[in-house]
Each structure stands twice: as structure tokens, then as C-alpha cells.
Amino acid sequence: MRAHAGGWSGSPVSVKAEVRAVVRAKIVLAAAAGASNETIARTVRVSVNTVRKWRGRFAARGLEGLKDAKRSGRPCLHGAGVRLAVVATATSSPPFPESTWSHRAIAAHLAPIGISASQVGRILADCDLKPHRVRGWLTRRQTPDFWERAADICRLYLNPPEGAVVLSIDEKTAIVARSRKHPGRTVQPGRPAHQEFEYVRHGTVSIIAALNVISGEILTEPITRNNSATFVGFLQMLDRLIDPSRQIHIVLDNGSSHTVKNTRAWLADHPRWHVRWTPPHASWLNQVELYFSVLTRRVLRHGGGSWAGTAPRGCTAATPEQ
């Protein structure tokens, strides 16, 4: 809703806005634009008496006049002290081993007061407190060169060295390979796909993947252990596959298999390999994570068939130099 020098016009409002407040504001803005009571009533779809009421209250008291008058209503069962106790409980840590408060748990904790779970819910709603909801965050390590290292990796992606191979390498471990016990139902017009609840486990598999950042091709291999020996073996295979005349630039996160002495020693002995480690807590800069995301969404999330030990369907297993 907006008012301007040329007149008044209605526009979509937030679905969260209180309907009565929106109607009153429309009446006042239309009146300020010079519309008659009849025109406003017809536009806002209220009675002329309603228009007169809110125009008069706004003229007499301004914005305060658009608020509802206080009503006696039902007297409060609990005073400020009880409300404070409810809020203090909801904003504290629950007793072990509970991880979050529920309305019932708060009521039980405050049993001597004699408050019900529904009353707890109303008090918390008034204060906009939702102890059952938890959001996580990450306190990023104060890395002095964080932005410089991040910018260096982005420059490598955007402007790779001429004739070089740019690889993004990482592992995805403990992937659960499973299939549904009974067939599902395919998507139909007006109805989403239906999936059987029960599933059969086919074990787990871990993979290591190298993404050619320039061509988008992937080389994926199953691994039995995620350690330095496995990782160096994968690098040795890539070293044999890629033209010896080409330089190789790789992006790695700070996983233990990537940073231990054995891995660093192998990289130091192979001068055509140039490494950029992502800053701590910034493994999302490693573009192979995009491949793992696609793998999860297209193959794993809805419990497809067991593909352990093979390249996922629809993904290219090709040498990075192609």
C-alpha cells in the first residue's frame, strides 16, 4: 500500500499484516488522497459507517486512533512474576539429558506455580519465544589471510593458467546405499510422487572424486579407507593419466589426509602439482562439493538402488585431461 502526490492506489500487502490494521490504513490513505466516504467504502469493501469511524478517530488522535481500544476481557490468571518465571525457564538450558524445552516440560518444571502447558504456550507466544526451534551457526576461525586465500581460489577458477589442468578434489565418506522395499508411485498431475516408507540397506561406500573445473568432467573412485595412503594413491593415478607436459593446479580442503606429512611430501616431490588449500571453515570453495550435492539430490536422497562401487548414473567418469 502506498500514497503519493498523484493520489492513492492499493498494492499487495504482506500476508503477515493484521487485516484490520491494513483496512484502516487503506481508509486513511484514501481519505488523504481526497476520496469520498462512498468511494472508499466501495474500494475497501466496508460500510460507509466504518469509513466515517476510522476517519474520525484518525482526525482526532492520529495513528493512536487506529488501534483497538482496550477491552476488559478475561482477567489474567497469572501475574508478571509467573510470566517472568516462564520466560526465564524458556531462555535457560533444560535439565540433562533434554536438549530443548517444550511447553509441557516448562509447565512441569514450574509445577509449584500451577501453570498449564497451554498457558505456557500463550505466554511464550506473547513474547515471541520459540524454545523448540534451534538454529545453528559457525563461529569462523579468525584466519588472518582468509579473504586472500579465498580470492586466490576464485581467481584460479575464473582465470585458469593457459594449458593447465585445474582439479577440485575431495572425499565423500560413509554413503548409505539403499533401495525401497516396495515400488513407489510416480508423479501425477496434481499429485506428488509417493515413496514407500520401508527400505533395504545395501551397506555403505566411500568415494573420492576429482572435478575438472575447466571441462566439468569427473573422475570418481570408491575407496575403502580415507587416509593419506589412499589419497596419495589417487593423486598418483591422476599423475599417470594427465599429459606429463601439463601443469596441474588442485584445490583441497583441510582434511587430515590432505595436509599430513606424507601427502605434503609427495606433492613437494612432484613440482608440476600446485596446491591451494581452502581457508578453515570454507570447504564450500571446493567446487567438487557441487558434484557431491548433485549426487545426494539425484541419487541418494530418495533411496535409489545400490550403486556401491560404480560411478553414479548420469555422471561422467572420465580422465580430467579430456
Side-chain angles (χ1 to χ4, degrees):
M1 180 170 51
R2 56 182 182 271
H4 51 79
W8 171 85
S9 64
S11 60
V13 297
S14 169
V15 294
K16 295 182 180 179
E18 187 178 357
V19 175
R20 288 174 296 179
V22 172
V23 169
R24 295 165 194 173
K26 285 184 176 181
I27 291 171
V28 170
L29 289 175
S36 66
N37 289 349
E38 291 76 11
T39 301
I40 298 173
R42 190 167 51 251
T43 303
V44 185
R45 297 180 181 179
V46 295
S47 68
V48 174
N49 286 338
T50 299
V51 175
R52 291 196 187 103
K53 172 184 175 180
W54 295 111
R55 288 188 68 167
R57 289 184 59 165
F58 180 78
R61 299 177 55 198
L63 290 177
E64 287 298 319
L66 299 182
K67 296 180 180 179
D68 286 324
K70 291 185 178 180
R71 301 177 183 179
S72 57
R74 182 180 177 182
C76 292
L77 295 178
H78 303 287
V82 174
R83 294 174 64 87
L84 182 61
V86 171
V87 171
T89 302
T91 55
S92 65
S93 298
F96 182 83
E98 300 287 340
S99 59
T100 57
W101 286 109
S102 66
H103 295 171
R104 183 175 296 179
I106 293 175
H109 183 74
L110 299 175
I113 295 176
I115 188 171
S116 68
S118 60
Q119 290 165 341
V120 168
R122 284 191 288 271
I123 292 172
L124 295 181
D126 288 342
C127 299
D128 195 24
L129 283 172
K130 301 174 182 177
H132 61 283
R133 296 189 62 183
V134 178
R135 295 187 65 182
W137 84 91
L138 173 66
T139 303
R140 184 170 59 82
R141 190 185 308 173
Q142 292 298 323
T143 308
D145 58 348
F146 180 92
W147 298 110
E148 290 79 1
R149 291 168 64 179
D152 184 40
I153 292 173
C154 291
R155 282 193 295 268
L156 175 66
Y157 290 152
L158 294 172
N159 300 293
E162 184 69 27
V165 175
V166 180
L167 302 177
S168 174
I169 305 175
D170 202 4
E171 300 91 356
K172 186 174 179 66
T173 59
I175 305 169
V176 179
R178 61 188 185 183
S179 61
R180 295 291 154 178
K181 192 172 183 179
H182 303 287
R185 298 178 182 176
T186 59
V187 63
Q188 299 291 332
R191 190 191 75 183
H194 284 59
Q195 186 178 63
E196 165 63 28
F197 177 77
E198 292 185 283
Y199 59 86
V200 178
R201 290 180 179 269
H202 300 282
T204 62
V205 64
S206 299
I207 62 173
I208 186 170
L211 166 66
N212 187 322
V213 174
I214 299 174
S215 69
E217 292 177 294
I218 297 285
L219 178 63
T220 304
E221 290 288 326
I223 58 176
T224 56
R225 298 189 64 184
N226 183 21
N227 55 18
S228 177
T230 300
F231 183 68
V232 169
F234 186 69
L235 296 182
Q236 290 172 336
M237 179 188 67
L238 293 174
D239 194 56
R240 293 191 299 269
L241 291 173
I242 299 173
D243 185 347
S245 65
R246 304 182 70 178
Q247 296 292 304
I248 304 172
H249 295 256
I250 61 174
V251 177
L252 303 174
D253 63 19
N254 294 277
S256 58
S257 61
H258 306 162
T259 57
V260 295
K261 182 178 179 180
N262 183 48
T263 301
R264 290 180 179 271
W266 187 91
L267 292 168
D269 290 340
H270 294 76
R272 74 168 179 147
W273 288 75
H274 309 276
V275 186
R276 289 170 176 80
W277 279 280
T278 62
H281 301 321
S283 59
W284 42 268
L285 284 169
N286 203 351
Q287 285 201 351
V288 74
E289 296 294 342
L290 298 173
Y291 165 68
F292 292 147
S293 175
V294 172
L295 179 65
T296 299
R297 287 184 281 110
R298 292 177 54 184
V299 179
L300 303 176
R301 178 170 296 166
H302 297 298
S306 174
W307 53 271
T310 63
R313 184 178 62 183
C315 299
T316 303
T319 58
E321 65 175 336
Q322 292 178 344

